[in-house]
Amino acid sequence: KEALKSQTPRAVMVETYVLDLLPDDMLEHGYLYRFLDAGGWSANKIQLTAKFLFPDRLAGIFPIFRQRMEWEKPYIYFTNLKTMIKEFNNPSLETDTGARIHPNVISSTEYEQAISSQDPDFIDPPMENLAYLEKFITLCNQNNITPLFNTAPILQIPKRTYNVYAPMNRDVLAKDYGLNILDFNQYGFNQLHFVNPDHVNAFGSLIISTETAVNLSKRLGIPLDQKILDYYRTYYFDKFDISQSDKEAILTLYPSNPDTPLLYAWEISKDDIILLKTDYQSQNSITFPTSEAGEYQIRVEIWNPDGNFVLEGLFTHIVEE
């Protein structure tokens, strides 16, 4: 409601994970800030706020100003805000900061542990969450706003949220409220697409960002540049594998469309020493020596020369004694 006083959005997107968390425990653990404003409150954001938003648009940046206050426990807000403010006296803006896209691919060990783990029995979702969902949808309809929902893929429910996780049945919600939920699990994400059990990496986020744009285009009737869409879809990858022989290993990437004109620049290192480095080439695999036991880092830059976007991946390969 506060946002509608100064903004006229055509759509509002909600990640369905926030519907699965207990509101009281979210307040106790400070989770509200994570969903209202991605990332911690940094010196860079302080400078941007002072330069571009002060004072008339502070509600657009401060969670504390745009979120309903729990006046019985105001210390929660101030404590969390205080801990997020670091390096307050930073005099300059860091122009290259933004959303962090992680190139790292989750290790095979962590991936296997995540997909084989068994989630605990969760409690039933609270009626309060459902009531707020109904209010949210009603408010959107009253203001000609399209409510959009998406479900980001995860391998394992984070253990830190076990005590606040109460998942709703998304299929029932979609049917009862006529919701169109974009579920990214349909894209078959696997080890290649995750940086850890509950976050995607560069390979995964590229797919999510691109297909979210497609979904917005369809739902809102916004024209989409098909040439640009086709370009970014050339960076979709299905999987990878690493094979180890006696004294060497081979890493292979499998693009969703094998006919795409992608180029690959590889770099192999161990103990911060570069062992092998290539220029851009058409080979989607790299063979590298592994005569010594230890941890090998395989970095790859992937480029389609039809544009200037470069996708980066970072893999780990461990050779036992």
Side-chain angles (χ1 to χ4, degrees), residues 205-215 224 229 232-233 236:
S205 63
L206 174 74
I207 296 174
I208 289 178
S209 298
T210 304
E211 297 306 321
T212 296
V214 173
N215 186 49
L224 193 66
L229 173 61
Y232 280 106
R233 280 178 169 170
Y236 288 12

Side-chain angles (χ1 to χ4, degrees), residues 210 224-234 304 306-307:
T210 304
L224 193 66
D225 190 317
Q226 189 63 44
K227 183 177 180 181
I228 294 179
L229 173 61
D230 292 341
Y231 174 75
Y232 280 106
R233 280 178 169 170
T234 64
N304 182 338
D306 291 338

Side-chain angles (χ1 to χ4, degrees), residues 101-106 192-196 200-203 297 312-316:
I101 300 177
H102 297 275
N104 305 64
V105 175
I106 186 173
L192 175 64
H193 304 98
F194 288 89
V195 64
N196 57 41
V200 294
N201 58 20
F203 289 96
Q297 301 289 328
E312 183 179 355
L314 181 62
F315 302 80
T316 300

Side-chain angles (χ1 to χ4, degrees), residues 25 73 86-87 110 126 143 152 167 206 215 237 267 272 292:
D25 285 329
K73 296 179 284 187
K86 298 178 180 179
E87 299 179 7
E110 189 175 9
N143 290 274
L206 174 74
N215 186 49
F237 283 80
E267 179 183 288
D272 296 324
E292 296 181 4

